[in-house]
Amino acid sequence: MTTTRRSAFFPEVPAVAETLKGFEIDTWWGLVGSAATHRSTVARLNQAFVAALQAPENKARFSALVAEPVASSPAQFGAFMRSERAKYEKVVKASGARAD
């Protein structure tokens, strides 16, 4: 569920979702590596990180940050990253932002 909140610093400024219906942005983290990384290495790393995300002490740490870890396969994460790039590509290009 997405909630729309106005800034505590600028309460008179509408939230982006109030202006652009359907706008949604989430913070996410992921582990990426070289495309040349061997599949067996990727599989082992993925297995270790999924196990770490499921560990009770790590779940508690994420909960304290009001974050919800979501484990996925390398293929699922790749698809997610492609969808995120497509979602923001036009905005970034229109803004003229550059990563120099």
Side-chain angles (χ1 to χ4, degrees):
M1 180 175 155
T2 302
T3 57
T4 301
R5 286 185 279 180
R6 289 192 177 209
S7 166
F9 300 107
F10 303 103
E12 70 283 356
V13 177
V16 175
E18 290 179 88
T19 305
L20 300 172
K21 298 299 179 199
F23 180 86
E24 184 178 320
I25 189 166
D26 294 307
T27 300
W28 56 269
W29 300 284
L31 179 66
V32 297
S34 166
T37 305
H38 196 275
R39 285 182 182 240
S40 64
T41 301
V42 171
R44 284 195 321 271
L45 286 169
N46 181 254
Q47 187 177 31
F49 278 95
V50 167
L53 288 175
Q54 294 172 348
E57 64 273 15
N58 290 329
K59 283 186 174 186
R61 287 179 181 164
F62 277 106
S63 181
L65 297 169
V66 191
E68 181 182 352
V70 177
S72 64
S73 70
Q76 289 168 322
F77 186 60
F80 172 76
M81 287 184 17
R82 284 188 295 280
S83 72
E84 287 290 282
R85 184 175 56 240
K87 185 162 77 171
Y88 300 111
E89 186 173 33
K90 287 181 185 176
V91 174
V92 172
K93 284 182 179 179
S95 76
R98 294 172 35 138
D100 293 332

